Amino acid sequence: KLVRDRVKSLKPYVPGKSKEEIIRKYNLNPEDIIKLGSNENPWGCSKKIKEELLREIGNLHQYPEPVNPVLMEELGNFLDVPRENIIVGGDGADEIIDTLMRTFVDVGDEVIIPIPTFTQYRVSAHIHGANIRYGRYNKKKDFKLDVDSILDNITERTKIIFLCTPNNPTGNPIERKDIKKILESTEALVVVDHAYIEYSKDIYNVTKWALDYENLLILRTFSKIFGLAGARVGYGVANEEVINYMMRVKPVFSLTRLSQICTIAALRDREFFFYSREKGIESREILYRGLKKFKELKVYPSEANYLLVEIRNDMTSGEFCEELLKRGVIVRDCKSFEGLDGEYIRVSIGTFEEDRRFLEILKDIV
Ligand code: PMP
């Protein structure tokens, strides 16, 4: 009964609009659609995955390995951390977030979430009966994390603090010294969400800190730079004790044979990884420069594969998105992000051709 009441009051996570939905609603051609709404990789994934997947189809009658040693070795090499410090989840980083809640949070415990940020932390914390205390990314300072808004909310019941860097949807990173200060002010588990870290300057990557701090978990994913959002694989890096606890709770077979094969092949194709990174950053720069030319739009600097844009004409973000949709462009209306008052949209990187078409279409609307 308690769980049902809690879930009834929940504002669920609403993912971005799908291509199919837009094609039907606005009677568009599939080739007219430009999908810049879900922070995906517009260059797809490694071409080497296909052949490996076809081979694996013959093994689908067998259960997957709960922990695939080849994947652990490749991932350990990629991160340069021992495999004992890694947990891989089969519903993306979302599964790691859920596993964290199930492992470390009891009903009535507290979770600190600075907002605006990725909605899934709140949804998952709420489902598990945590009390949520909100901190802030400060709008007046280009959404820089307000460290005191975290520290002031820490109590004996604080179990998890979520820091997202670069932050979704604002795009800005959290400074190393701020992460350090929070880590050293609490025994609660600090989750540093690095879903987009591969698009950032190296200086912002604190993955290896997980080997030094007992209360740090780094969250990462194959959904972005590796272009595997559809395969649903995410992972966490933390000290062995944290990983061992979580491994007892994580669904045993959530990582399917097919997703294991995808990730191994993706990790072995380092050429595609670097290609994605280089092109992604270039696309972000093209969009940033293009958007900056519109005086009615304020675009924020970003270290991720998307840009936050404030609309400063007399349109609401909903109206703005609708005008884009009619022309086949899907972006994210930021109304669903708590703590982001005003008219904002989030635009993901596209291929250079998609970026050009999007910027051209904008001239009709702004
Ligand atoms: N963290 C952040 C900040 C995200 O934006 C996302 C996806 N949008 C995730 C985690 C979850 O990624 P996935 O479940 O696809 O691995």
Side-chain angles (χ1 to χ4, degrees):
K1 167 98 173 44
L2 260 177
V3 178
R4 245 186 290 149
D5 284 348
R6 211 158 59 222
V7 173
K8 224 175 1 186
S9 71
L10 181 67
K11 207 169 106 200
Y13 171 58
V14 186
K17 291 205 165 46
S18 75
K19 264 188 180 178
E20 291 65 31
E21 205 181 329
I22 302 310
I23 289 169
R24 246 180 284 128
K25 184 161 178 201
Y26 297 96
N27 205 11
L28 296 161
N29 295 317
E31 59 275 16
D32 293 335
I33 304 292
I34 306 177
K35 191 165 187 270
L36 308 178
S38 299
N39 302 342
E40 291 153 346
N41 186 339
W43 290 280
C45 62
S46 162
K47 300 288 171 285
K48 305 207 168 133
I49 290 174
K50 190 173 168 184
E51 205 179 307
E52 301 289 331
L53 266 182
L54 288 175
R55 224 197 317 266
E56 190 62 15
I57 288 174
N59 296 328
L60 281 181
H61 60 292
Q62 294 173 346
Y63 281 94
E65 295 199 61
V67 177
N68 182 314
V70 182
L71 172 55
M72 296 312 278
E73 186 175 339
E74 292 288 345
L75 196 50
N77 291 343
F78 170 67
L79 298 167
D80 191 24
V81 305
R83 72 188 75 169
E84 292 74 23
N85 295 91
I86 307 172
I87 179 169
V88 188
D91 182 23
D94 288 351
E95 180 176 299
I96 306 289
I97 296 170
D98 185 71
T99 302
L100 274 166
M101 295 291 168
R102 295 204 295 143
T103 312
F104 297 112
V105 176
D106 277 329
V107 173
D109 282 342
E110 292 175 4
V111 165
I112 304 178
I113 306 174
I115 51 173
T117 197
F118 183 46
T119 320
Q120 190 61 31
Y121 315 140
R122 172 181 58 76
V123 173
S124 194
H126 186 80
I127 291 169
H128 290 89
N131 292 327
I132 302 169
R133 286 173 171 255
Y134 291 105
R136 278 187 311 278
Y137 292 96
N138 190 343
K139 181 181 169 180
K140 292 199 185 99
K141 293 186 178 164
D142 278 354
F143 296 103
K144 183 177 158 36
L145 177 71
D146 178 346
V147 178
D148 287 336
S149 77
I150 306 285
L151 301 183
D152 294 348
N153 272 308
I154 295 174
T155 72
E156 306 92 81
R157 292 219 77 170
T158 308
K159 289 294 162 66
I160 303 185
I161 300 171
F162 282 99
L163 304 178
C164 187
T165 176
N167 185 35
N168 180 6
T170 56
N172 60 307
I174 301 175
E175 286 177 38
R176 290 163 89 96
K177 69 169 174 27
D178 290 344
I179 298 174
K180 197 160 191 267
K181 189 164 181 191
I182 293 166
L183 275 168
E184 291 173 3
S185 305
T186 180
E187 282 175 14
L189 190 66
V190 177
V191 174
V192 169
D193 188 339
H194 268 349
Y196 302 96
I197 196 63
E198 294 89 352
Y199 295 97
S200 307
K201 292 184 197 82
D202 293 338
I203 177 89
Y204 296 120
N205 186 344
V206 296
T207 303
K208 291 185 83 172
W209 288 14
L211 305 181
D212 299 327
Y213 285 95
E214 283 177 12
N215 61 334
L216 172 63
L217 181 129
I218 306 285
L219 193 61
R220 297 184 55 165
T221 180
F222 282 89
S223 297
K224 311 297 171 184
I225 196 85
F226 288 105
L228 286 172
R232 311 299 306 124
V233 186
Y235 55 99
V237 185
N239 82 69
E240 250 182 275
E241 197 184 347
V242 168
I243 298 292
N244 286 341
Y245 276 122
M246 291 174 73
M247 282 303 290
R248 290 180 202 159
V249 175
K250 179 198 155 318
V252 178
F253 294 123
S254 64
L255 207 64
T256 69
R257 279 189 170 272
L258 298 182
S259 49
Q260 292 181 11
I261 292 298
C262 288
T263 46
I264 293 167
L267 285 165
R268 287 179 172 166
D269 190 353
R270 227 39 81 79
E271 206 177 312
F272 179 78
F273 172 86
F274 287 114
Y275 177 88
S276 287
R277 182 179 154 100
E278 191 185 312
K279 297 283 172 197
I281 292 171
E282 206 173 328
S283 171
R284 180 176 76 208
E285 282 167 7
I286 291 169
L287 286 175
Y288 184 78
R289 281 197 302 272
L291 285 159
K292 233 178 150 55
K293 289 189 185 139
F294 295 91
K295 67 176 186 339
E296 300 84 353
L297 303 176
K298 175 174 166 135
V299 54
Y300 288 83
S302 169
E303 288 283 327
N305 69 349
Y306 50 84
L307 294 156
L308 182 72
V309 182
E310 188 175 4
I311 299 159
R312 294 181 159 178
N313 60 12
D314 53 5
M315 291 167 90
T316 65
S317 56
E319 289 164 350
F320 201 89
C321 288
E322 181 83 13
E323 288 305 313
L324 284 170
L325 284 176
K326 281 186 204 162
R327 294 161 176 84
V329 182
I330 307 172
V331 299
R332 191 67 193 256
D333 182 350
C334 289
K335 278 278 143 62
S336 55
F337 287 97
E338 266 182 310
L340 189 60
D341 302 326
E343 306 309 321
Y344 292 90
I345 58 168
R346 190 193 65 196
V347 183
S348 312
I349 55 166
T351 61
F352 302 151
E353 174 58 15
E354 288 172 332
D355 296 344
R356 191 192 61 72
R357 278 174 54 208
F358 164 67
L359 291 168
E360 204 51 43
I361 287 170
L362 268 188
K363 289 183 192 160
D364 281 352
I365 298 172
V366 179

